[in-house]
Amino acid sequence: MKVLVAVKRVVDYNVKIRVKSDNTAVDTANVKMSMNPFDEIAIEEAVRLKEKGVATEIIAVSCGVTQCQETLRTAMAIGADRAILVETAQELQPLAVAKLLKALVDKEQPGLIILGKQAIDDDCNQTGQMLAALANLPQVAFASKIDIADGKATASREVDGGSETLSVTLPAVVTADLRLNEPRYVTLPNIMKAKKKPLEVVKPEDLGVDVAPRIKTLKVNEPPKRSAGIKVPDVATLVAKLKTEAKVI
């Protein structure tokens, strides 16, 4: 079974985000970039399926600027067999990425498509669901456990008040939750091996996809700074302040 995994290049989760002075976007100049953590979990799960003998080939896919090749090399260092970069300088929104992935799914015909449940930069949580709809495939979102057997994927996911187990017929789309696994440490020998693995570069027009933005960002603001807390002498004062100042009760 062939597994296709989508990965995104984002600002590293350890970096303190800065907004541009004109409030148009987040400042990414001279900022450390890395693979979206949820996508790293998706790659790890695909590698584990291959180690179990369930998957035969893992294809990592990324959409974006030339530097996304670094993210794909990381995916191949974790264990992906080859990679495809859909290269474009255009701002990519979830629908455009879903259409690009749909074109690659039609071309590669994978038995399973795994994505991170969301990217930590825009937090849209839309691409996996949109891809499933466009490709007319069953989907399991926020999977915390995946088992593949007899042409079906059985996945557990957290829901309000407990967990839910779903069974879908392959091919299918699965989005990875934080609890699905813990990605392995990438070793230097695997990083060196990844440099020799094939990486194909295509353009959106090669796939016949229009990636023009449908949504316009009007303004980006930093969250307001938190004010200092205060101490109150008794419960009555606390309740009074919650009523009159905070207005939460």
Side-chain angles (χ1 to χ4, degrees), residues 29-40:
N30 302 314
V31 170
K32 182 184 177 184
M33 308 292 281
S34 61
M35 186 189 301
N36 179 46
F38 291 105
D39 298 342
E40 197 172 353

Side-chain angles (χ1 to χ4, degrees), residues 8-24:
K8 185 177 184 181
R9 179 177 181 264
V10 299
V11 176
D12 190 87
Y13 67 91
N14 286 312
V15 172
K16 178 173 171 45
I17 299 297
R18 300 189 309 270
V19 174
K20 290 183 178 179
S21 57
D22 59 1
N23 294 105
T24 56

Side-chain angles (χ1 to χ4, degrees), residues 34 70 118 185 243:
S34 61
E70 299 167 11
Q118 66 194 75
Y185 177 75
K243 282 183 178 178

Side-chain angles (χ1 to χ4, degrees), residues 12 28-29 68 106 111 120-121 144 149 163 175 178 186 198 215 225:
D12 190 87
T28 56
C68 291
D106 291 342
I120 62 171
D121 53 359
S144 55
S163 64
T175 67
L178 191 66
V186 181
I215 302 169
K225 288 184 169 40

Side-chain angles (χ1 to χ4, degrees), residues 12-83:
D12 190 87
Y13 67 91
N14 286 312
V15 172
K16 178 173 171 45
I17 299 297
R18 300 189 309 270
V19 174
K20 290 183 178 179
S21 57
D22 59 1
N23 294 105
T24 56
V26 169
D27 187 3
T28 56
N30 302 314
V31 170
K32 182 184 177 184
M33 308 292 281
S34 61
M35 186 189 301
N36 179 46
F38 291 105
D39 298 342
E40 197 172 353
I41 292 168
I43 280 283
E44 173 66 27
E45 191 63 25
V47 174
R48 293 187 184 190
L49 289 174
K50 187 176 180 183
E51 290 171 346
K52 291 176 184 176
V54 175
T56 55
E57 185 183 26
I58 301 167
I59 308 162
V61 177
S62 191
C63 306
V65 295
T66 307
Q67 290 87 339
C68 291
Q69 291 189 28
E70 299 167 11
T71 307
L72 289 171
R73 292 292 177 195
T74 302
M76 289 190 285
I78 294 172
D81 298 296
R82 59 188 175 95

